[in-house]
Amino acid sequence: MRIAIASDQGGFCQKDLIIDFVRGLGHEVEDFGPADAGRVDYPDFASPVAHAVSEGRADRGILICGTGIGMALTADKVPGVRAAPINRPDFARLFRQHNDGNVIGLSGRFVAPMDNCELVRIFLETDFDGGRHCQRVEKIMREDAR
């Protein structure tokens, strides 16, 4: 898979580790920044990742900020993106199985790096269940057209 990734200063310390982890799983990674740990505005980095997913240039997106919330909120505004902040393995699995989530928001401040790697592994390896969830995802996505 092609994975787009970005962070802000709150997630920068984990970004390279997660990039290496994702590449180790056999995926292609495009890093949308930032290049250093200086203060940035997270929407400036979440938006390009979300657009890469929305436009099909990436299959999934990974965003890392202090909590995972702000970047996920930004990404979810982009049509075609289903983003959520995730901090538990069972949430990562259900996000994929039931919501066909395509962008994950991770916490760089409150979740340990190896725990985030496990969340990413689950996010990348779990399939969408389809079935009854298809209609629900379609109802979620109709909000993009409103």
Side-chain angles (χ1 to χ4, degrees):
M1 274 190 281
R2 296 163 299 156
I3 310 302
I5 189 168
S7 73
D8 70 358
Q9 68 275 4
F12 184 81
C13 62
Q14 292 193 24
K15 186 173 63 139
D16 285 342
L17 173 81
I18 291 173
I19 288 171
D20 290 343
F21 179 78
V22 171
R23 285 185 175 141
L25 293 175
H27 303 288
E28 178 185 326
V29 178
E30 184 172 358
D31 182 355
F32 284 84
D36 60 50
R39 188 198 163 287
V40 297
D41 292 329
Y42 60 81
D44 295 337
F45 295 89
S47 182
V49 167
H51 282 278
V53 172
S54 176
E55 295 164 12
R57 293 180 283 116
D59 300 301
R60 305 251 176 92
I62 300 170
L63 300 169
I64 318 152
C65 63
T67 62
I69 297 168
M71 291 188 99
L73 281 170
T74 301
D76 202 59
K77 299 289 185 185
V78 175
V81 171
R82 289 172 302 286
I86 301 292
N87 57 23
R88 292 176 37 164
D90 50 347
F91 288 8
R93 186 170 294 104
L94 290 168
F95 179 52
R96 286 289 309 133
Q97 290 175 331
H98 294 186
N99 307 116
D100 198 16
N102 54 15
V103 176
I104 190 171
L106 301 173
S107 170
R109 288 194 181 132
F110 302 103
V111 177
M114 294 316 296
D115 292 337
N116 271 336
C117 286
E118 178 63 5
L119 296 174
V120 166
R121 185 192 64 74
I122 293 167
F123 171 68
L124 296 177
E125 293 179 358
T126 302
D127 291 326
F128 176 49
D129 281 352
R132 72 182 192 273
H133 303 292
C134 288
Q135 181 181 9
R136 294 171 183 164
V137 170
E138 287 174 16
K139 287 180 177 184
I140 292 168
M141 298 316 294
R142 75 180 176 205
E143 297 301 319
D144 285 346
R146 290 184 186 218

PDB file of all heavy atoms in Angstrom, residues 6-19:
ATOM      1  N   ALA A   6       2.172  12.455   8.107  1.00  0.00           N
ATOM      2  CA  ALA A   6       2.610  13.787   8.528  1.00  0.00           C
ATOM      3  C   ALA A   6       2.429  13.903  10.031  1.00  0.00           C
ATOM      4  O   ALA A   6       1.723  13.098  10.653  1.00  0.00           O
ATOM      5  CB  ALA A   6       1.821  14.885   7.810  1.00  0.00           C
ATOM      6  N   SER A   7       3.044  14.930  10.582  1.00  0.00           N
ATOM      7  CA  SER A   7       2.917  15.188  12.010  1.00  0.00           C
ATOM      8  C   SER A   7       2.902  16.695  12.242  1.00  0.00           C
ATOM      9  O   SER A   7       3.000  17.475  11.299  1.00  0.00           O
ATOM     10  CB  SER A   7       4.096  14.569  12.777  1.00  0.00           C
ATOM     11  OG  SER A   7       5.287  15.306  12.566  1.00  0.00           O
ATOM     12  N   ASP A   8       2.786  17.064  13.493  1.00  0.00           N
ATOM     13  CA  ASP A   8       3.115  18.414  13.921  1.00  0.00           C
ATOM     14  C   ASP A   8       4.224  18.253  14.954  1.00  0.00           C
ATOM     15  O   ASP A   8       4.792  17.160  15.096  1.00  0.00           O
ATOM     16  CB  ASP A   8       1.885  19.173  14.442  1.00  0.00           C
ATOM     17  CG  ASP A   8       1.347  18.664  15.764  1.00  0.00           C
ATOM     18  OD1 ASP A   8       1.895  17.673  16.316  1.00  0.00           O
ATOM     19  OD2 ASP A   8       0.380  19.244  16.261  1.00  0.00           O
ATOM     20  N   GLN A   9       4.533  19.298  15.688  1.00  0.00           N
ATOM     21  CA  GLN A   9       5.614  19.195  16.659  1.00  0.00           C
ATOM     22  C   GLN A   9       5.309  18.200  17.776  1.00  0.00           C
ATOM     23  O   GLN A   9       6.216  17.581  18.339  1.00  0.00           O
ATOM     24  CB  GLN A   9       5.963  20.566  17.250  1.00  0.00           C
ATOM     25  CG  GLN A   9       4.911  21.185  18.144  1.00  0.00           C
ATOM     26  CD  GLN A   9       3.832  21.962  17.387  1.00  0.00           C
ATOM     27  OE1 GLN A   9       3.822  21.993  16.152  1.00  0.00           O
ATOM     28  NE2 GLN A   9       2.928  22.599  18.114  1.00  0.00           N
ATOM     29  N   GLY A  10       4.033  17.987  18.078  1.00  0.00           N
ATOM     30  CA  GLY A  10       3.650  17.047  19.121  1.00  0.00           C
ATOM     31  C   GLY A  10       3.828  15.592  18.728  1.00  0.00           C
ATOM     32  O   GLY A  10       3.884  14.713  19.585  1.00  0.00           O
ATOM     33  N   GLY A  11       3.914  15.316  17.451  1.00  0.00           N
ATOM     34  CA  GLY A  11       4.092  13.951  16.974  1.00  0.00           C
ATOM     35  C   GLY A  11       5.392  13.719  16.242  1.00  0.00           C
ATOM     36  O   GLY A  11       5.717  12.591  15.877  1.00  0.00           O
ATOM     37  N   PHE A  12       6.151  14.795  16.039  1.00  0.00           N
ATOM     38  CA  PHE A  12       7.374  14.700  15.240  1.00  0.00           C
ATOM     39  C   PHE A  12       8.353  13.666  15.788  1.00  0.00           C
ATOM     40  O   PHE A  12       8.997  12.942  15.030  1.00  0.00           O
ATOM     41  CB  PHE A  12       8.053  16.067  15.126  1.00  0.00           C
ATOM     42  CG  PHE A  12       9.257  16.048  14.254  1.00  0.00           C
ATOM     43  CD1 PHE A  12       9.129  16.103  12.876  1.00  0.00           C
ATOM     44  CD2 PHE A  12      10.533  15.952  14.802  1.00  0.00           C
ATOM     45  CE1 PHE A  12      10.249  16.062  12.051  1.00  0.00           C
ATOM     46  CE2 PHE A  12      11.656  15.913  13.989  1.00  0.00           C
ATOM     47  CZ  PHE A  12      11.515  15.970  12.617  1.00  0.00           C
ATOM     48  N   CYS A  13       8.440  13.570  17.117  1.00  0.00           N
ATOM     49  CA  CYS A  13       9.408  12.653  17.732  1.00  0.00           C
ATOM     50  C   CYS A  13       9.131  11.194  17.386  1.00  0.00           C
ATOM     51  O   CYS A  13      10.031  10.353  17.489  1.00  0.00           O
ATOM     52  CB  CYS A  13       9.448  12.854  19.240  1.00  0.00           C
ATOM     53  SG  CYS A  13       7.875  12.503  20.057  1.00  0.00           S
ATOM     54  N   GLN A  14       7.912  10.870  16.974  1.00  0.00           N
ATOM     55  CA  GLN A  14       7.574   9.492  16.618  1.00  0.00           C
ATOM     56  C   GLN A  14       7.498   9.253  15.108  1.00  0.00           C
ATOM     57  O   GLN A  14       7.442   8.106  14.667  1.00  0.00           O
ATOM     58  CB  GLN A  14       6.239   9.094  17.256  1.00  0.00           C
ATOM     59  CG  GLN A  14       6.292   8.996  18.761  1.00  0.00           C
ATOM     60  CD  GLN A  14       5.076   8.299  19.335  1.00  0.00           C
ATOM     61  OE1 GLN A  14       4.398   7.519  18.666  1.00  0.00           O
ATOM     62  NE2 GLN A  14       4.786   8.578  20.594  1.00  0.00           N
ATOM     63  N   LYS A  15       7.508  10.319  14.327  1.00  0.00           N
ATOM     64  CA  LYS A  15       7.240  10.169  12.896  1.00  0.00           C
ATOM     65  C   LYS A  15       8.258   9.271  12.189  1.00  0.00           C
ATOM     66  O   LYS A  15       7.864   8.344  11.466  1.00  0.00           O
ATOM     67  CB  LYS A  15       7.170  11.533  12.213  1.00  0.00           C
ATOM     68  CG  LYS A  15       6.742  11.435  10.747  1.00  0.00           C
ATOM     69  CD  LYS A  15       6.508  12.783  10.125  1.00  0.00           C
ATOM     70  CE  LYS A  15       7.783  13.559  10.123  1.00  0.00           C
ATOM     71  NZ  LYS A  15       8.049  14.323   8.920  1.00  0.00           N
ATOM     72  N   ASP A  16       9.537   9.481  12.389  1.00  0.00           N
ATOM     73  CA  ASP A  16      10.535   8.669  11.690  1.00  0.00           C
ATOM     74  C   ASP A  16      10.463   7.198  12.103  1.00  0.00           C
ATOM     75  O   ASP A  16      10.598   6.311  11.260  1.00  0.00           O
ATOM     76  CB  ASP A  16      11.945   9.219  11.926  1.00  0.00           C
ATOM     77  CG  ASP A  16      12.208  10.489  11.132  1.00  0.00           C
ATOM     78  OD1 ASP A  16      11.470  10.769  10.164  1.00  0.00           O
ATOM     79  OD2 ASP A  16      13.170  11.203  11.478  1.00  0.00           O
ATOM     80  N   LEU A  17      10.228   6.942  13.376  1.00  0.00           N
ATOM     81  CA  LEU A  17      10.078   5.572  13.854  1.00  0.00           C
ATOM     82  C   LEU A  17       8.900   4.896  13.170  1.00  0.00           C
ATOM     83  O   LEU A  17       8.999   3.741  12.710  1.00  0.00           O
ATOM     84  CB  LEU A  17       9.881   5.551  15.375  1.00  0.00           C
ATOM     85  CG  LEU A  17       9.540   4.191  15.962  1.00  0.00           C
ATOM     86  CD1 LEU A  17      10.803   3.351  16.126  1.00  0.00           C
ATOM     87  CD2 LEU A  17       8.830   4.346  17.291  1.00  0.00           C
ATOM     88  N   ILE A  18       7.787   5.601  13.073  1.00  0.00           N
ATOM     89  CA  ILE A  18       6.596   5.024  12.442  1.00  0.00           C
ATOM     90  C   ILE A  18       6.817   4.838  10.944  1.00  0.00           C
ATOM     91  O   ILE A  18       6.412   3.814  10.374  1.00  0.00           O
ATOM     92  CB  ILE A  18       5.349   5.868  12.770  1.00  0.00           C
ATOM     93  CG1 ILE A  18       5.026   5.704  14.269  1.00  0.00           C
ATOM     94  CG2 ILE A  18       4.156   5.464  11.901  1.00  0.00           C
ATOM     95  CD1 ILE A  18       3.928   6.610  14.785  1.00  0.00           C
ATOM     96  N   ILE A  19       7.504   5.778  10.303  1.00  0.00           N
ATOM     97  CA  ILE A  19       7.833   5.610   8.880  1.00  0.00           C
ATOM     98  C   ILE A  19       8.655   4.344   8.676  1.00  0.00           C
ATOM     99  O   ILE A  19       8.359   3.528   7.791  1.00  0.00           O
ATOM    100  CB  ILE A  19       8.572   6.849   8.334  1.00  0.00           C
ATOM    101  CG1 ILE A  19       7.605   8.027   8.199  1.00  0.00           C
ATOM    102  CG2 ILE A  19       9.243   6.537   6.994  1.00  0.00           C
ATOM    103  CD1 ILE A  19       8.274   9.351   7.866  1.00  0.00           C
TER     104      ILE A  19
END
